[in-house]
Amino acid sequence: MRKVENNKAWLLVLPVFLLVAFSAIVPLMTVVNYSVQDIFDQNNAYFVGSEWYREILRDPRLHESLLRQFMFSFAVLAIEIPLGIGIALMMPTKGKMASVCLILVAIPLLIPWNVVGTIWQIFGRADIGLFGWSLTSLGMDYNYASNPIDAWATVLLMDVWHWTPLVALLCYSGLRAIPEAFYQAARIDRASKWAIFRHIQLPKLKNVLVIGVLLRFMDSFMIYTEPFVLTGGGPGNSTTFLSQTLTQMAIGQFDLGPAAAFSLIYFLIVLLVSWLFFTTINHMDKDK
Amino acid sequence: MSWMAWTQTTAIFFSVIACILIAMTIFEIKVPSTERRGFLPIETSRGDRLFIGLLSSAYLHLVFLGFTEIALWVPLAISVVWVGIVLRWG
């Protein structure tokens, strides 16, 4: 039988395409245009070719921010993914407690980024903040405003507090989707809890973990508001990440050309790492 | 469109990208591709290979810009050959 082909369904994609073009593609093209010009104002722009790219790629500020950014993102992933899985495994599956736990876990996700920064800014202060006061009372010399290690630990802790619930909720939904028959078969085989986790739960969580790792990597790689509110990038530049360096360049110094070149390099890094994550995890199954 | 601060160079760049995408779409409709494995370590479709070729070309340009003073015609020529190789044998 001859198959009837109807391509009218493509028209349904048109609104999304227009929306993406308006919100992403056109602004990105504008950034590319800016990156090859010295922009003074709307009527005064001079073509400079690849000069800004050369300047930015050799700028030590970019190298330092990039290193800090990778360290931060990998620390975030190393803590939040195992912790999120652990919390999801411990959460009750039935009854009122399941709903209570879900709401409690989801609360940090509902708080706006700048509010999270403010909460932790106060929470970490030794004079009026519970966290800072507790550490100081224990005899620790804790001050996130003057000690880079304390600042790093506080920014990391803040991100873990804010975003681990996302990983936990994703894993929780993944765990609930595993059919009971798998657990019954494991019980018949007298499988240990570790064996159930290793051979049933973890493989079944793979898809939600791919989404979790991608979301957390991209989000942590673009982090701006929370560390800006908490530490302002300091002490010194110790918690100045890529987006903050970019903002200083674009808005603080109004260097639109170099900032546009910086943005595109930033975009290419996010694109490459996200693609590597996605492709590696996606092809693991095929290779098996 | 003046707010987009167009230049001749960027207009040519985007036109070439648009032409490549249109040509690849027409080619895909006329001759649909299936995933296959070439010298790249993963199975790829034609679109995947184009993406890999373009992304690696962008990085090649950044390497030349960051570490050398060589004119960009050199990495551009290498990139054209590289994208062709990836599309054919990747």
Side-chain angles (χ1 to χ4, degrees), chain B residues 18-33:
Chain B
C19 288
I20 291 173
L21 291 177
I22 291 166
M24 289 295 283
T25 308
I26 295 168
F27 189 31
E28 189 64 33
I29 292 167
K30 297 274 180 199
V31 190
S33 72

Side-chain angles (χ1 to χ4, degrees), chain A residues 194-213:
Chain A
W194 169 251
I196 292 173
F197 174 70
R198 173 71 187 81
H199 299 290
I200 297 174
Q201 290 170 323
L202 199 57
K204 291 284 175 191
L205 281 179
K206 200 197 82 179
N207 288 336
V208 288
L209 282 177
V210 171
I211 296 167
V213 168

Side-chain angles (χ1 to χ4, degrees), chain A residues 33 37 54 58 268-269 286, chain B residues 4-5 10 59 65 68-69:
Chain A
N33 292 343
Q37 295 179 85
R54 280 188 205 281
R58 293 162 196 204
L268 283 174
I269 296 168
K286 286 184 184 173
Chain B
M4 283 182 78
T10 49
Y59 273 92
L65 282 168
T68 71
E69 296 296 333

Side-chain angles (χ1 to χ4, degrees), chain A residues 48-239:
Chain A
V48 293
S50 57
E51 190 184 319
W52 299 136
Y53 288 93
R54 280 188 205 281
E55 192 182 296
I56 290 295
L57 285 166
R58 293 162 196 204
D59 186 349
R61 273 192 310 172
L62 173 84
H63 303 158
E64 288 162 12
S65 307
L66 187 64
L67 183 66
R68 276 195 290 271
Q69 189 69 70
F70 271 115
M71 281 166 60
F72 178 74
S73 289
F74 284 113
V76 158
L77 289 181
I79 298 169
E80 288 180 16
I81 299 297
L83 192 61
I85 296 171
I87 291 170
L89 285 169
M90 285 189 290
M91 281 166 68
T93 54
K94 288 172 193 160
K96 280 184 184 171
M97 279 308 287
S99 308
V100 172
C101 276
L102 277 174
I103 292 166
L104 286 177
V105 168
I107 283 174
L109 294 173
L110 305 176
I111 303 174
W113 291 284
N114 49 352
V115 179
V116 170
T118 312
I119 289 172
W120 278 83
Q121 194 191 41
I122 297 167
F123 194 45
R125 279 177 59 167
D127 51 353
I128 56 168
L130 181 63
F131 181 62
W133 178 82
S134 304
L135 291 181
T136 315
S137 302
L138 289 170
M140 291 173 74
D141 185 21
Y142 170 81
N143 188 342
Y144 70 82
S146 62
N147 186 333
I149 295 171
D150 292 348
W152 256 86
T154 314
V155 172
L156 256 179
L157 200 59
M158 176 178 63
D159 197 86
V160 168
W161 177 81
H162 194 188
W163 289 109
T164 303
L166 177 76
V167 182
L169 291 177
L170 281 171
C171 291
Y172 185 78
S173 66
L175 286 170
R176 296 288 71 77
I178 300 172
E180 183 57 30
F182 283 88
Y183 294 110
Q184 284 172 354
R187 277 197 292 274
I188 290 167
D189 290 343
R190 292 180 175 233
S192 64
K193 277 193 171 178
W194 169 251
I196 292 173
F197 174 70
R198 173 71 187 81
H199 299 290
I200 297 174
Q201 290 170 323
L202 199 57
K204 291 284 175 191
L205 281 179
K206 200 197 82 179
N207 288 336
V208 288
L209 282 177
V210 171
I211 296 167
V213 168
L214 272 175
L215 282 177
R216 285 313 303 131
F217 173 76
M218 286 189 288
D219 210 31
S220 65
F221 207 77
M222 294 184 285
I223 192 166
Y224 175 75
T225 313
E226 294 114 308
F228 178 71
V229 174
L230 179 69
T231 61
N237 283 327
S238 59
T239 54

Side-chain angles (χ1 to χ4, degrees), chain A residues 253-287:
Chain A
Q253 302 159 348
F254 208 68
D255 284 339
L256 294 182
F262 193 134
S263 306
L264 288 172
I265 295 167
Y266 196 171
F267 169 67
L268 283 174
I269 296 168
V270 174
L271 191 64
L272 176 68
V273 179
S274 303
W275 180 79
L276 281 176
F277 267 129
F278 186 76
T279 310
T280 309
I281 298 170
N282 240 6
H283 281 81
M284 276 190 323
D285 255 3
K286 286 184 184 173
D287 289 341

